[in-house]
Amino acid sequence: MGSVGTAAVRDGGAALPHGFWAAVRVWLEKPQVANRRLCGAAVEAEGPVPLGEGGEAALHPLAAVGGGGARAASAGAAELGRLWREVRGQLPAGLGGLPPPLTPWGGPGRGSELRAVLRTLLPRGRPGGPPAPLTKELAVRDVFNGTVTFLPLEENSEGKYQIKKCNIYQIQLTHIKGEEWCVSILVPYPEDWFSDGIAYPKLAWLGNELLSKLAKWSVEQKPSEFKSTLSLISVAKYSKVYQDLKNKYKDMVKVWPEVTDPEKFVYEDVAIATYLLILWEEERKEKGLTKKQSFVDLGCGNGLLVHILNNEGHSGRGIDVRRRKIWDMYGPETHLEETTIVPGDSHLFPDTDWLIGNHSDELTPWIPVIAARSSYSCCYFVLPCCFFDFHGKYSRRQSKKTQYREYLDFVAQVGFVCGFHVEEDCLRIPSTKRVSLIGKKRTYPPTECALIDKQITQYINNRQTCAVVTCDRRVGFNHKDHSDGVCEEAGSELWENETEIAGTTWMPGFQPREKVEQIRNCASLPHDFVDDVVLSVANLLLNATPQKSCSNTHAGNTNTWNQGESLSLKEVAEHLNKETLKRLKSECGGLQTLLKNNHQVFEVLNGRVHIRDWRKEKPSRKTKPEVKRRLSAEAFKTRLCWFFIHHPDGCSLPSESCPYAHGTEELRQSQIIKKKKHTQ
């Protein structure tokens, strides 16, 4: 059998056959979305190739990937042509040139043109082991027959490529009738298929996982509102540098002193540093520079990004309004400053090459402005997260876009107003907010700096006025008209104040982040107060009628366990006294936050409060990261079970199954506390 699998597809929206080729494109350019053991693919060349004898492969003008320009394109065309001549002779005789049961290439008369893509599959790094070898493939697309054939290539001792025939496979699209289509994957030599577990998984994976994704993508392709991941840099180079940096800084996870998730923050900053290092390396090549770029990270937070960039040879510093505990661990080579930044003439950086805003909150829209006014050569990189305007929280003005897309467009518009050619790229980081905006080239000559500066001031004034009068006009960005969507009428009233606002402080009333971070998640409330509220709410639920009684079948015990009734948050609040409610309202989230914090006792679902029944708790389907597994083990039996002490029926779980202590004799000392004492 040469067929690995077939998936029926119904196309009710006229997506096919175009959707099929879009799905194939995803598999060609971003195989990691299906095969998690790959980190990407580098498309080295693309172009038409002839079916008949002779003829050079003509490279598509946009096919060569990388920063080499016309020279790289020429080299790519030559490589593709040479490969095609070598490969054609290794296939079965005849113009079709493919072994059965694969569909031969070509249309009527076998004279149609094929299109080839040369790609290198990039494996993910293996911790503690040697890097996996790269794999080259020649993918040949035949539009007439609806097929794309993948030819694995191996380089011999003479430097020539040979087809690894055992791993040839073909993806086909077949029209059955009307709206009925099918997508198939076929291999000519299934008995010889060699699975390396990385670039070439087992045939069952191709027939199940890959086939189902291709079928789904073929009819559900939606144009993304974001750019492709890592579209501005080399994926191959990113893969190598990221793995090197990850191995170099992975020990930071073990010593992370902050309360934040160490795995997320360490590997996210490693990924951002990788991106910047490659971006800056390409910039040095473009501009013929040898000295590494300098930088300032505004709102640097934990400072790890600054630490990595300093270690990798870039001079720079991080500035944040609040010092973090981890700063003391970096050493004197990492330059971090505890300073409040207020946008104005006193916070310009004329000798700095790049400004960085990594989740910089209220400073995010100001960073293009600060870069533009620091010097003509200053560039910027921002990774927006929380939504802030110049004057405070960002207010939505368009309902047709997602809030995230609208905010990105606003920050991009700020960059255009400041005279930057703004580029957008998606980073490969463990975050939902992973779109970066980069301004490294100007749209105006140095002689027009004063004109651009006036334009910036006018734009900021307009934004502030729109906020005051709640102007609801459309905000978008236009490369030709940078002031599109601002309140011209309202803004004209402020022209006479331009000089004042453009002085020392660019926006009087700007509110920087507070130096002391206020904890308003009910965690700072006195324990006695919290315990009283928890007990009051629990008694309210337990005494409500009708009562829910759940059978307890543990160890043959058929006694019922009172789970109480569920009440809405509003109903619960009505039973609490005014002083308690006032105290809770001063905290972010109020009553709901307090109840969710006490998840041992309560479950809050769809605005209703329930007593938690631990017998119904299901283990997490996803494997927990090592750090979280370790924390769970360290916290086992370190707190008393609330139900054992307060519930009229006791705990619904037997002692050996309950993660909390049934009595003081079961209490263990927290390993986390021990570690803290040891480090002090």
PDB file of all heavy atoms in Angstrom, residues 79 82-83 86 154-162:
ATOM      1  N   GLU A  79      21.907  27.360  -7.515  1.00  0.00           N
ATOM      2  CA  GLU A  79      21.797  26.166  -6.678  1.00  0.00           C
ATOM      3  C   GLU A  79      20.567  25.353  -7.058  1.00  0.00           C
ATOM      4  O   GLU A  79      20.621  24.130  -7.174  1.00  0.00           O
ATOM      5  CB  GLU A  79      21.727  26.586  -5.204  1.00  0.00           C
ATOM      6  CG  GLU A  79      21.450  25.456  -4.225  1.00  0.00           C
ATOM      7  CD  GLU A  79      22.650  24.549  -3.982  1.00  0.00           C
ATOM      8  OE1 GLU A  79      23.682  24.717  -4.655  1.00  0.00           O
ATOM      9  OE2 GLU A  79      22.530  23.668  -3.119  1.00  0.00           O
ATOM     10  N   ARG A  82      21.132  23.682 -10.471  1.00  0.00           N
ATOM     11  CA  ARG A  82      22.076  22.558 -10.374  1.00  0.00           C
ATOM     12  C   ARG A  82      21.421  21.357  -9.706  1.00  0.00           C
ATOM     13  O   ARG A  82      21.562  20.220 -10.167  1.00  0.00           O
ATOM     14  CB  ARG A  82      23.304  23.005  -9.565  1.00  0.00           C
ATOM     15  CG  ARG A  82      24.389  21.929  -9.411  1.00  0.00           C
ATOM     16  CD  ARG A  82      25.587  22.470  -8.632  1.00  0.00           C
ATOM     17  NE  ARG A  82      25.258  22.719  -7.241  1.00  0.00           N
ATOM     18  CZ  ARG A  82      25.281  21.768  -6.289  1.00  0.00           C
ATOM     19  NH1 ARG A  82      25.574  20.511  -6.609  1.00  0.00           N
ATOM     20  NH2 ARG A  82      24.985  22.073  -5.035  1.00  0.00           N
ATOM     21  N   LEU A  83      20.687  21.611  -8.644  1.00  0.00           N
ATOM     22  CA  LEU A  83      20.012  20.521  -7.950  1.00  0.00           C
ATOM     23  C   LEU A  83      18.991  19.828  -8.845  1.00  0.00           C
ATOM     24  O   LEU A  83      18.897  18.598  -8.852  1.00  0.00           O
ATOM     25  CB  LEU A  83      19.304  21.061  -6.702  1.00  0.00           C
ATOM     26  CG  LEU A  83      20.124  21.153  -5.422  1.00  0.00           C
ATOM     27  CD1 LEU A  83      19.304  21.784  -4.321  1.00  0.00           C
ATOM     28  CD2 LEU A  83      20.580  19.776  -4.977  1.00  0.00           C
ATOM     29  N   GLU A  86      20.591  17.469 -11.245  1.00  0.00           N
ATOM     30  CA  GLU A  86      21.078  16.261 -10.567  1.00  0.00           C
ATOM     31  C   GLU A  86      19.925  15.332 -10.183  1.00  0.00           C
ATOM     32  O   GLU A  86      20.017  14.113 -10.331  1.00  0.00           O
ATOM     33  CB  GLU A  86      21.855  16.643  -9.298  1.00  0.00           C
ATOM     34  CG  GLU A  86      23.184  17.317  -9.558  1.00  0.00           C
ATOM     35  CD  GLU A  86      23.881  17.704  -8.256  1.00  0.00           C
ATOM     36  OE1 GLU A  86      23.403  17.263  -7.189  1.00  0.00           O
ATOM     37  OE2 GLU A  86      24.885  18.433  -8.306  1.00  0.00           O
ATOM     38  N   GLU A 154      20.447  13.990   0.199  1.00  0.00           N
ATOM     39  CA  GLU A 154      21.640  13.653   0.971  1.00  0.00           C
ATOM     40  C   GLU A 154      22.866  14.028   0.146  1.00  0.00           C
ATOM     41  O   GLU A 154      22.907  13.785  -1.063  1.00  0.00           O
ATOM     42  CB  GLU A 154      21.675  12.153   1.292  1.00  0.00           C
ATOM     43  CG  GLU A 154      20.639  11.703   2.293  1.00  0.00           C
ATOM     44  CD  GLU A 154      20.760  10.225   2.622  1.00  0.00           C
ATOM     45  OE1 GLU A 154      20.856   9.405   1.686  1.00  0.00           O
ATOM     46  OE2 GLU A 154      20.770   9.887   3.816  1.00  0.00           O
ATOM     47  N   GLU A 155      23.852  14.605   0.814  1.00  0.00           N
ATOM     48  CA  GLU A 155      25.076  15.019   0.130  1.00  0.00           C
ATOM     49  C   GLU A 155      26.106  13.903   0.215  1.00  0.00           C
ATOM     50  O   GLU A 155      26.386  13.368   1.293  1.00  0.00           O
ATOM     51  CB  GLU A 155      25.626  16.295   0.756  1.00  0.00           C
ATOM     52  CG  GLU A 155      26.738  16.956  -0.054  1.00  0.00           C
ATOM     53  CD  GLU A 155      27.121  18.307   0.511  1.00  0.00           C
ATOM     54  OE1 GLU A 155      26.662  18.651   1.621  1.00  0.00           O
ATOM     55  OE2 GLU A 155      27.886  19.025  -0.153  1.00  0.00           O
ATOM     56  N   ASN A 156      26.667  13.519  -0.947  1.00  0.00           N
ATOM     57  CA  ASN A 156      27.673  12.450  -0.942  1.00  0.00           C
ATOM     58  C   ASN A 156      29.068  13.025  -0.766  1.00  0.00           C
ATOM     59  O   ASN A 156      29.252  14.241  -0.596  1.00  0.00           O
ATOM     60  CB  ASN A 156      27.569  11.603  -2.214  1.00  0.00           C
ATOM     61  CG  ASN A 156      27.810  12.423  -3.487  1.00  0.00           C
ATOM     62  OD1 ASN A 156      28.426  13.493  -3.456  1.00  0.00           O
ATOM     63  ND2 ASN A 156      27.327  11.922  -4.614  1.00  0.00           N
ATOM     64  N   SER A 157      30.078  12.154  -0.817  1.00  0.00           N
ATOM     65  CA  SER A 157      31.464  12.577  -0.576  1.00  0.00           C
ATOM     66  C   SER A 157      31.980  13.535  -1.638  1.00  0.00           C
ATOM     67  O   SER A 157      32.942  14.274  -1.412  1.00  0.00           O
ATOM     68  CB  SER A 157      32.376  11.345  -0.503  1.00  0.00           C
ATOM     69  OG  SER A 157      32.266  10.579  -1.693  1.00  0.00           O
ATOM     70  N   GLU A 158      31.340  13.554  -2.806  1.00  0.00           N
ATOM     71  CA  GLU A 158      31.771  14.444  -3.892  1.00  0.00           C
ATOM     72  C   GLU A 158      31.065  15.795  -3.847  1.00  0.00           C
ATOM     73  O   GLU A 158      31.260  16.623  -4.734  1.00  0.00           O
ATOM     74  CB  GLU A 158      31.505  13.771  -5.240  1.00  0.00           C
ATOM     75  CG  GLU A 158      32.279  12.464  -5.420  1.00  0.00           C
ATOM     76  CD  GLU A 158      31.907  11.761  -6.721  1.00  0.00           C
ATOM     77  OE1 GLU A 158      31.038  12.304  -7.454  1.00  0.00           O
ATOM     78  OE2 GLU A 158      32.481  10.704  -7.001  1.00  0.00           O
ATOM     79  N   GLY A 159      30.229  15.991  -2.841  1.00  0.00           N
ATOM     80  CA  GLY A 159      29.525  17.266  -2.720  1.00  0.00           C
ATOM     81  C   GLY A 159      28.268  17.351  -3.560  1.00  0.00           C
ATOM     82  O   GLY A 159      27.688  18.431  -3.703  1.00  0.00           O
ATOM     83  N   LYS A 160      27.843  16.223  -4.143  1.00  0.00           N
ATOM     84  CA  LYS A 160      26.622  16.208  -4.943  1.00  0.00           C
ATOM     85  C   LYS A 160      25.479  15.625  -4.122  1.00  0.00           C
ATOM     86  O   LYS A 160      25.690  14.824  -3.214  1.00  0.00           O
ATOM     87  CB  LYS A 160      26.829  15.387  -6.214  1.00  0.00           C
ATOM     88  CG  LYS A 160      27.830  16.006  -7.179  1.00  0.00           C
ATOM     89  CD  LYS A 160      27.893  15.213  -8.474  1.00  0.00           C
ATOM     90  CE  LYS A 160      28.842  15.873  -9.465  1.00  0.00           C
ATOM     91  NZ  LYS A 160      28.879  15.138 -10.755  1.00  0.00           N
ATOM     92  N   TYR A 161      24.266  16.051  -4.481  1.00  0.00           N
ATOM     93  CA  TYR A 161      23.094  15.599  -3.738  1.00  0.00           C
ATOM     94  C   TYR A 161      22.437  14.410  -4.422  1.00  0.00           C
ATOM     95  O   TYR A 161      22.327  14.353  -5.651  1.00  0.00           O
ATOM     96  CB  TYR A 161      22.074  16.733  -3.594  1.00  0.00           C
ATOM     97  CG  TYR A 161      22.477  17.753  -2.558  1.00  0.00           C
ATOM     98  CD1 TYR A 161      23.036  18.975  -2.942  1.00  0.00           C
ATOM     99  CD2 TYR A 161      22.320  17.492  -1.201  1.00  0.00           C
ATOM    100  CE1 TYR A 161      23.406  19.911  -1.993  1.00  0.00           C
ATOM    101  CE2 TYR A 161      22.695  18.414  -0.247  1.00  0.00           C
ATOM    102  CZ  TYR A 161      23.231  19.616  -0.650  1.00  0.00           C
ATOM    103  OH  TYR A 161      23.612  20.540   0.291  1.00  0.00           O
ATOM    104  N   GLN A 162      22.002  13.489  -3.589  1.00  0.00           N
ATOM    105  CA  GLN A 162      21.266  12.328  -4.065  1.00  0.00           C
ATOM    106  C   GLN A 162      19.927  12.264  -3.348  1.00  0.00           C
ATOM    107  O   GLN A 162      19.814  12.667  -2.183  1.00  0.00           O
ATOM    108  CB  GLN A 162      22.045  11.041  -3.793  1.00  0.00           C
ATOM    109  CG  GLN A 162      23.337  10.917  -4.595  1.00  0.00           C
ATOM    110  CD  GLN A 162      24.068   9.616  -4.295  1.00  0.00           C
ATOM    111  OE1 GLN A 162      24.107   9.179  -3.154  1.00  0.00           O
ATOM    112  NE2 GLN A 162      24.633   9.003  -5.329  1.00  0.00           N
TER     113      GLN A 162
END
